[in-house]
Coordinates of all heavy atoms in Angstrom, one line a residue:
Y219 N 167.8 165.0 24.2 CA 166.6 165.8 24.6 C 165.6 164.9 25.4 O 165.0 165.3 26.4 CB 165.9 166.4 23.4 CG 164.9 167.4 23.7 CD1 165.2 168.7 23.8 CD2 163.5 167.1 23.8 CE1 164.3 169.7 24.1 CE2 162.6 168.1 24.1 CZ 163.0 169.4 24.3 OH 162.0 170.3 24.6
A220 N 165.5 163.6 25.0 CA 164.6 162.7 25.7 C 165.1 162.5 27.1 O 164.3 162.4 28.0 CB 164.5 161.4 24.9
K221 N 166.4 162.4 27.3 CA 166.9 162.3 28.6 C 166.6 163.5 29.5 O 166.3 163.4 30.7 CB 168.4 162.1 28.6 CG 168.9 160.7 28.2 CD 170.4 160.6 28.1 CE 170.9 159.2 27.9 NZ 170.8 158.4 29.1
L222 N 166.7 164.7 28.8 CA 166.3 165.9 29.6 C 164.8 165.8 30.0 O 164.5 166.1 31.2 CB 166.4 167.1 28.6 CG 167.8 167.7 28.4 CD1 167.6 169.0 27.4 CD2 168.5 168.2 29.7
E223 N 164.0 165.4 29.1 CA 162.5 165.4 29.5 C 162.3 164.4 30.6 O 161.3 164.6 31.4 CB 161.7 165.0 28.2 CG 161.6 166.1 27.2 CD 160.7 165.8 26.1 OE1 160.8 164.7 25.5 OE2 159.9 166.7 25.7
H224 N 163.1 163.3 30.6 CA 162.8 162.3 31.7 C 163.7 162.6 32.9 O 163.7 161.8 33.9 CB 163.2 160.9 31.1 CG 162.2 160.4 30.1 ND1 161.0 159.8 30.5 CD2 162.1 160.5 28.8 CE1 160.3 159.5 29.4 NE2 161.0 159.9 28.3
G225 N 164.4 163.7 32.9 CA 165.3 164.0 34.1 C 166.3 163.0 34.3 O 166.7 162.7 35.5
E226 N 166.9 162.4 33.3 CA 167.8 161.3 33.4 C 169.2 161.6 33.0 O 169.4 162.0 31.8 CB 167.2 160.1 32.5 CG 168.1 158.9 32.5 CD 167.5 157.8 31.6 OE1 166.3 157.4 31.8 OE2 168.1 157.4 30.7
D227 N 170.1 161.5 33.9 CA 171.6 161.7 33.5 C 171.8 163.0 32.8 O 172.1 163.0 31.6 CB 172.0 160.5 32.7 CG 173.5 160.4 32.7 OD1 174.2 161.3 33.2 OD2 174.1 159.4 32.2
M228 N 171.6 164.1 33.5 CA 171.6 165.4 32.8 C 173.0 165.8 32.2 O 173.1 166.4 31.2 CB 171.2 166.5 33.8 CG 169.8 166.3 34.4 SD 168.5 166.4 33.2 CE 168.1 168.1 33.3
D229 N 174.0 165.3 32.9 CA 175.4 165.6 32.3 C 175.5 164.9 30.9 O 176.0 165.5 30.0 CB 176.4 165.0 33.2 CG 176.6 165.8 34.5 OD1 176.1 167.0 34.5 OD2 177.2 165.3 35.5
A230 N 175.1 163.6 30.9 CA 175.2 162.9 29.6 C 174.3 163.5 28.6 O 174.6 163.6 27.4 CB 174.9 161.5 29.8
A231 N 173.1 164.0 29.0 CA 172.1 164.6 28.1 C 172.7 165.8 27.4 O 172.6 166.0 26.2 CB 170.8 164.9 28.8
E232 N 173.3 166.7 28.2 CA 173.8 167.9 27.7 C 175.0 167.6 26.7 O 175.2 168.2 25.7 CB 174.3 168.9 28.8 CG 174.8 170.2 28.2 CD 175.1 171.2 29.2 OE1 174.7 171.1 30.4 OE2 175.8 172.2 28.9
A233 N 175.8 166.6 27.1 CA 177.0 166.2 26.3 C 176.5 165.7 24.9 O 177.1 166.0 23.9 CB 177.8 165.2 27.0
L234 N 175.5 164.9 24.9 CA 175.0 164.4 23.7 C 174.5 165.5 22.8 O 174.8 165.6 21.6 CB 173.8 163.4 23.9 CG 174.2 162.0 24.5 CD1 172.9 161.3 25.0 CD2 174.8 161.2 23.4
I235 N 173.7 166.5 23.3 CA 173.2 167.6 22.6 C 174.3 168.5 22.1 O 174.3 169.0 21.0 CB 172.1 168.3 23.4 CG1 170.9 167.4 23.7 CG2 171.6 169.6 22.6 CD1 170.0 168.0 24.7
R236 N 175.3 168.7 23.0 CA 176.4 169.6 22.6 C 177.2 169.0 21.4 O 177.5 169.7 20.5 CB 177.3 169.8 23.8 CG 178.4 170.9 23.5 CD 179.1 171.2 24.8 NE 178.3 171.8 25.8 CZ 178.0 173.1 25.9 NH1 178.4 173.9 24.9 NH2 177.2 173.5 26.8
K237 N 177.3 167.7 21.4 CA 178.0 167.1 20.3 C 177.2 167.2 19.0 O 177.7 167.5 17.9 CB 178.3 165.6 20.6 CG 179.0 164.8 19.4 CD 179.2 163.4 19.8 CE 179.9 162.7 18.6 NZ 180.2 161.2 18.9
A238 N 175.9 167.0 19.1 CA 175.0 167.2 18.0 C 175.1 168.6 17.4 O 175.1 168.8 16.2 CB 173.5 166.9 18.4
S239 N 175.1 169.6 18.3 CA 175.2 171.0 17.9 C 176.5 171.3 17.2 O 176.6 172.1 16.3 CB 175.0 171.9 19.1 OG 175.0 173.3 18.8
E240 N 177.6 170.7 17.7 CA 178.9 170.9 17.0 C 178.9 170.3 15.6 O 179.5 170.8 14.7 CB 180.0 170.2 17.9 CG 180.2 171.0 19.2 CD 181.1 170.2 20.1 OE1 181.5 169.0 19.8 OE2 181.5 170.7 21.2
L241 N 178.2 169.2 15.5 CA 178.1 168.5 14.2 C 177.1 169.2 13.2 O 177.3 169.2 12.0 CB 177.7 167.0 14.3 CG 178.7 166.1 15.0 CD1 178.0 164.8 15.4 CD2 179.8 165.8 14.0
A242 N 176.1 169.9 13.8 CA 175.1 170.6 12.9 C 174.8 171.9 13.5 O 173.8 172.2 14.1 CB 173.8 169.7 12.8
P243 N 175.8 172.9 13.4 CA 175.7 174.2 14.1 C 174.6 175.1 13.5 O 174.1 176.0 14.2 CB 177.0 174.8 13.9 CG 177.6 174.1 12.7 CD 177.1 172.7 12.7
D244 N 174.1 174.8 12.3 CA 173.1 175.6 11.7 C 171.7 175.1 11.9 O 170.7 175.7 11.4 CB 173.4 175.8 10.2 CG 174.7 176.6 10.0 OD1 175.0 177.5 10.8 OD2 175.4 176.3 9.0
E245 N 171.5 174.0 12.6 CA 170.2 173.3 12.7 C 169.5 173.9 14.0 O 169.9 173.7 15.1 CB 170.4 171.8 12.9 CG 169.1 171.1 13.1 CD 168.1 171.3 11.9 OE1 168.5 171.1 10.8 OE2 167.0 171.7 12.2
A246 N 168.4 174.7 13.7 CA 167.8 175.5 14.7 C 167.2 174.6 15.9 O 167.4 174.9 17.0 CB 166.6 176.3 14.1
S247 N 166.7 173.4 15.5 CA 166.1 172.6 16.5 C 167.1 172.0 17.5 O 166.9 171.8 18.7 CB 165.3 171.4 15.9 OG 166.2 170.6 15.1
I248 N 168.3 171.7 17.0 CA 169.4 171.2 17.8 C 170.0 172.4 18.7 O 170.3 172.1 19.9 CB 170.5 170.6 17.0 CG1 169.9 169.3 16.3 CG2 171.7 170.2 17.8 CD1 170.9 168.6 15.3
T249 N 170.1 173.6 18.1 CA 170.5 174.7 19.0 C 169.5 174.9 20.1 O 169.9 175.3 21.2 CB 170.6 176.0 18.1 OG1 171.6 175.7 17.0 CG2 171.2 177.1 18.9
D250 N 168.2 174.8 19.8 CA 167.2 174.9 20.8 C 167.4 173.9 21.9 O 167.3 174.2 23.1 CB 165.8 174.8 20.1 CG 164.7 174.6 21.1 OD1 164.5 175.6 21.9 OD2 164.1 173.5 21.2
S251 N 167.6 172.7 21.5 CA 167.8 171.6 22.5 C 169.0 171.9 23.4 O 168.9 171.7 24.6 CB 168.1 170.3 21.8 OG 167.0 169.8 21.1
L252 N 170.1 172.5 22.8 CA 171.2 172.9 23.7 C 170.9 174.0 24.7 O 171.2 173.9 25.8 CB 172.4 173.3 22.8 CG 173.7 173.8 23.5 CD1 174.2 172.6 24.4 CD2 174.7 174.2 22.5
G253 N 170.1 175.0 24.2 CA 169.7 176.0 25.1 C 168.8 175.5 26.2 O 168.9 175.9 27.3
W254 N 167.9 174.6 25.8 CA 167.0 174.0 26.8 C 167.8 173.2 27.9 O 167.4 173.2 29.0 CB 165.9 173.2 26.2 CG 164.7 173.0 27.0 CD1 164.2 171.8 27.4 CD2 163.9 174.0 27.7 NE1 163.1 172.0 28.2 CE2 162.9 173.3 28.4 CE3 164.0 175.4 27.7 CZ2 161.9 174.0 29.1 CZ3 163.0 176.1 28.5 CH2 162.0 175.4 29.2
A255 N 168.8 172.5 27.4 CA 169.6 171.7 28.3 C 170.3 172.7 29.3 O 170.4 172.4 30.5 CB 170.7 170.9 27.6
Q256 N 170.8 173.8 28.8 CA 171.5 174.8 29.7 C 170.4 175.3 30.7 O 170.8 175.5 31.9 CB 172.1 175.9 28.8 CG 173.2 175.4 27.9 CD 173.6 176.4 26.8 OE1 172.8 177.2 26.4 NE2 174.8 176.3 26.3
F257 N 169.2 175.6 30.2 CA 168.2 176.1 31.1 C 167.9 175.1 32.2 O 167.7 175.5 33.4 CB 167.0 176.5 30.3 CG 165.8 177.0 31.1 CD1 165.8 178.2 31.6 CD2 164.7 176.1 31.3 CE1 164.7 178.7 32.4 CE2 163.6 176.5 32.1 CZ 163.6 177.8 32.6
K258 N 167.7 173.9 31.8 CA 167.3 172.9 32.8 C 168.4 172.7 33.8 O 168.1 172.3 35.0 CB 167.2 171.5 32.0 CG 165.9 171.4 31.2 CD 164.7 170.9 32.0 CE 163.6 170.6 31.1 NZ 162.4 170.0 31.9
R259 N 169.6 173.0 33.5 CA 170.7 172.9 34.4 C 171.1 174.2 35.2 O 172.1 174.3 35.8 CB 172.0 172.4 33.7 CG 171.7 171.1 32.9 CD 172.9 170.4 32.5 NE 173.6 169.8 33.6 CZ 174.9 169.5 33.6 NH1 175.6 169.7 32.6 NH2 175.5 169.0 34.7
G260 N 170.2 175.2 35.0 CA 170.3 176.4 35.8 C 171.2 177.5 35.2 O 171.5 178.5 35.8
K261 N 171.7 177.2 33.9 CA 172.5 178.2 33.3 C 171.7 179.2 32.4 O 171.7 179.1 31.2 CB 173.5 177.5 32.3 CG 174.4 176.4 33.0 CD 175.2 175.6 32.0 CE 175.9 174.4 32.6 NZ 176.6 173.6 31.6
V262 N 170.9 180.0 33.1 CA 169.8 180.7 32.5 C 170.3 181.8 31.5 O 169.8 181.8 30.3 CB 168.9 181.4 33.5 CG1 167.8 182.2 32.9 CG2 168.3 180.4 34.5
D263 N 171.3 182.5 31.8 CA 171.9 183.6 30.9 C 172.5 182.9 29.7 O 172.3 183.4 28.5 CB 172.9 184.4 31.6 CG 172.3 185.3 32.7 OD1 171.1 185.6 32.6 OD2 173.0 185.8 33.6
E264 N 173.2 181.8 29.9 CA 173.8 181.1 28.8 C 172.7 180.5 27.9 O 172.8 180.5 26.6 CB 174.7 180.0 29.3 CG 175.5 179.3 28.2 CD 176.5 178.3 28.8 OE1 176.6 178.2 30.1 OE2 177.1 177.5 28.1
A265 N 171.6 180.0 28.5 CA 170.5 179.4 27.8 C 169.8 180.5 26.9 O 169.5 180.2 25.8 CB 169.5 178.8 28.8
I266 N 169.6 181.7 27.5 CA 168.9 182.7 26.7 C 169.7 183.1 25.4 O 169.1 183.2 24.4 CB 168.8 184.0 27.6 CG1 167.7 183.7 28.7 CG2 168.3 185.2 26.7 CD1 167.6 184.8 29.7
A267 N 171.0 183.2 25.6 CA 171.8 183.5 24.4 C 171.7 182.4 23.3 O 171.6 182.7 22.1 CB 173.3 183.7 24.8
T268 N 171.8 181.1 23.8 CA 171.7 180.0 22.8 C 170.3 180.0 22.2 O 170.1 179.7 21.0 CB 172.0 178.7 23.6 OG1 173.3 178.8 24.2 CG2 172.0 177.5 22.6
L269 N 169.2 180.2 23.0 CA 167.9 180.1 22.5 C 167.6 181.2 21.5 O 166.8 181.1 20.6 CB 166.9 180.1 23.6 CG 166.9 178.8 24.5 CD1 166.1 179.0 25.8 CD2 166.3 177.6 23.7
Q270 N 168.2 182.4 21.8 CA 168.0 183.5 20.9 C 168.6 183.2 19.5 O 168.1 183.5 18.5 CB 168.6 184.8 21.4 CG 167.8 185.4 22.6 CD 168.5 186.6 23.2 OE1 169.7 186.6 23.3 NE2 167.7 187.5 23.8
R271 N 169.8 182.5 19.5 CA 170.4 182.1 18.2 C 169.5 181.1 17.5 O 169.3 181.2 16.3 CB 171.7 181.4 18.5 CG 172.8 182.3 18.9 CD 174.2 181.8 18.7 NE 174.4 180.4 19.2 CZ 174.8 180.1 20.4 NH1 175.0 181.1 21.3 NH2 175.0 178.9 20.8
A272 N 168.8 180.2 18.3 CA 167.9 179.2 17.7 C 166.7 179.9 17.0 O 166.3 179.6 15.9 CB 167.4 178.2 18.7
A273 N 166.2 180.9 17.8 CA 165.0 181.7 17.3 C 165.4 182.5 16.0 O 164.5 182.7 15.1 CB 164.5 182.6 18.4
E274 N 166.6 183.0 16.0 CA 167.0 183.7 14.7 C 167.0 182.8 13.5 O 166.7 183.2 12.4 CB 168.4 184.4 15.0 CG 168.3 185.5 15.9 CD 169.7 186.0 16.3 OE1 170.7 185.4 15.8 OE2 169.8 186.9 17.1
K275 N 167.4 181.5 13.8 CA 167.5 180.6 12.7 C 166.2 180.1 12.2 O 166.0 179.9 11.0 CB 168.4 179.4 13.1 CG 169.8 179.7 13.4 CD 170.5 178.5 14.0 CE 172.0 178.8 14.4 NZ 172.6 177.7 15.1
D276 N 165.2 180.0 13.1 CA 163.9 179.6 12.8 C 162.8 180.3 13.7 O 162.4 179.8 14.7 CB 163.7 178.1 13.0 CG 162.4 177.5 12.4 OD1 161.6 178.4 12.0 OD2 162.2 176.3 12.4
P277 N 162.5 181.5 13.3 CA 161.6 182.4 14.1 C 160.2 181.9 14.2 O 159.4 182.4 15.0 CB 161.7 183.7 13.4 CG 162.1 183.5 12.0 CD 163.0 182.3 12.1
T278 N 159.8 180.9 13.3 CA 158.4 180.5 13.3 C 158.1 179.2 14.1 O 157.0 178.8 14.3 CB 157.9 180.2 11.8 OG1 158.7 179.1 11.3 CG2 158.1 181.4 11.0
E279 N 159.2 178.6 14.7 CA 159.0 177.4 15.4 C 158.5 177.7 16.8 O 159.1 178.3 17.6 CB 160.4 176.6 15.5 CG 160.4 175.4 16.3 CD 159.3 174.4 16.0 OE1 159.1 174.1 14.8 OE2 158.5 174.0 16.9
A280 N 157.3 177.1 17.1 CA 156.6 177.4 18.4 C 157.5 177.0 19.6 O 157.6 177.7 20.6 CB 155.3 176.8 18.4
E281 N 158.1 175.8 19.5 CA 158.8 175.2 20.7 C 160.0 176.1 21.0 O 160.2 176.3 22.2 CB 159.2 173.8 20.3 CG 159.9 173.1 21.5 CD 160.3 171.7 21.2 OE1 160.9 171.4 20.1 OE2 159.9 170.8 22.0
I282 N 160.7 176.6 20.0 CA 161.8 177.5 20.3 C 161.4 178.7 21.0 O 162.0 179.2 22.0 CB 162.6 177.8 19.0 CG1 163.2 176.5 18.4 CG2 163.7 178.8 19.2 CD1 163.8 176.7 17.0
Q283 N 160.4 179.4 20.5 CA 159.9 180.6 21.1 C 159.4 180.4 22.5 O 159.6 181.2 23.4 CB 158.8 181.3 20.2 CG 159.3 181.7 18.9 CD 160.2 183.0 18.9 OE1 160.3 183.6 20.0 NE2 160.7 183.4 17.8
E284 N 158.7 179.3 22.7 CA 158.2 179.0 24.1 C 159.4 178.8 25.0 O 159.4 179.3 26.2 CB 157.4 177.7 24.1 CG 156.8 177.4 25.5 CD 156.1 176.1 25.6 OE1 156.2 175.3 24.7 OE2 155.5 175.9 26.7
H285 N 160.4 178.0 24.6 CA 161.6 177.9 25.5 C 162.3 179.2 25.8 O 162.7 179.4 26.9 CB 162.6 176.9 24.8 CG 162.2 175.5 24.7 ND1 162.8 174.6 23.9 CD2 161.2 174.8 25.4 CE1 162.3 173.4 24.1 NE2 161.3 173.5 25.0
L286 N 162.4 180.0 24.8 CA 163.0 181.3 25.0 C 162.2 182.2 26.0 O 162.7 182.8 26.9 CB 163.1 182.1 23.6 CG 163.7 183.5 23.7 CD1 165.1 183.5 24.4 CD2 163.8 184.1 22.3
G287 N 160.9 182.1 25.8 CA 160.0 182.8 26.7 C 160.2 182.4 28.2 O 160.2 183.2 29.1
D288 N 160.2 181.1 28.4 CA 160.4 180.5 29.7 C 161.7 181.0 30.3 O 161.8 181.4 31.5 CB 160.3 179.0 29.7 CG 158.9 178.4 29.5 OD1 158.0 179.2 29.1 OD2 158.7 177.2 29.7
A289 N 162.8 180.9 29.5 CA 164.1 181.3 30.1 C 164.1 182.8 30.4 O 164.6 183.3 31.4 CB 165.2 181.0 29.0
L290 N 163.5 183.7 29.5 CA 163.5 185.1 29.8 C 162.6 185.4 31.0 O 163.0 186.3 31.8 CB 162.9 185.8 28.6 CG 163.7 185.9 27.3 CD1 162.9 186.3 26.1 CD2 164.9 186.9 27.5
Y291 N 161.5 184.7 31.2 CA 160.7 185.0 32.4 C 161.5 184.6 33.6 O 161.4 185.3 34.6 CB 159.4 184.1 32.3 CG 158.4 184.5 33.3 CD1 157.4 185.4 33.0 CD2 158.4 183.9 34.6 CE1 156.4 185.7 33.9 CE2 157.4 184.2 35.5 CZ 156.4 185.1 35.2 OH 155.5 185.5 36.1
R292 N 162.2 183.5 33.6 CA 162.9 183.0 34.8 C 164.0 184.0 35.1 O 164.3 184.2 36.3 CB 163.6 181.7 34.5 CG 164.4 181.1 35.6 CD 163.5 180.6 36.8 NE 162.6 179.6 36.4 CZ 162.8 178.3 36.3 NH1 164.1 177.9 36.5 NH2 161.9 177.5 35.9
S293 N 164.5 184.7 34.1 CA 165.6 185.7 34.4 C 165.1 187.1 34.8 O 165.8 188.0 35.1 CB 166.5 185.9 33.2 OG 165.8 186.7 32.2

Side-chain angles (χ1 to χ4, degrees):
Y219 194 86
K221 282 177 172 286
L222 281 181
E223 289 187 313
H224 289 275
E226 179 181 303
D227 199 352
M228 304 293 271
D229 287 344
E232 183 175 348
L234 286 165
I235 296 169
R236 190 173 294 281
K237 180 179 178 180
S239 183
E240 290 169 355
L241 291 166
D244 295 325
E245 180 57 52
S247 63
I248 295 178
T249 303
D250 169 64
S251 296
L252 179 59
W254 199 236
Q256 292 164 341
F257 176 76
K258 288 273 192 177
R259 306 194 70 200
K261 307 171 186 177
V262 179
D263 291 339
E264 190 176 349
I266 290 172
T268 304
L269 292 167
Q270 285 173 331
R271 291 201 308 274
E274 289 170 1
K275 294 171 185 174
D276 188 355
T278 64
E279 174 53 50
E281 185 176 50
I282 295 174
Q283 294 288 353
E284 183 188 12
H285 286 167
L286 177 58
D288 285 17
L290 288 165
Y291 191 94
R292 180 71 58 82
S293 73

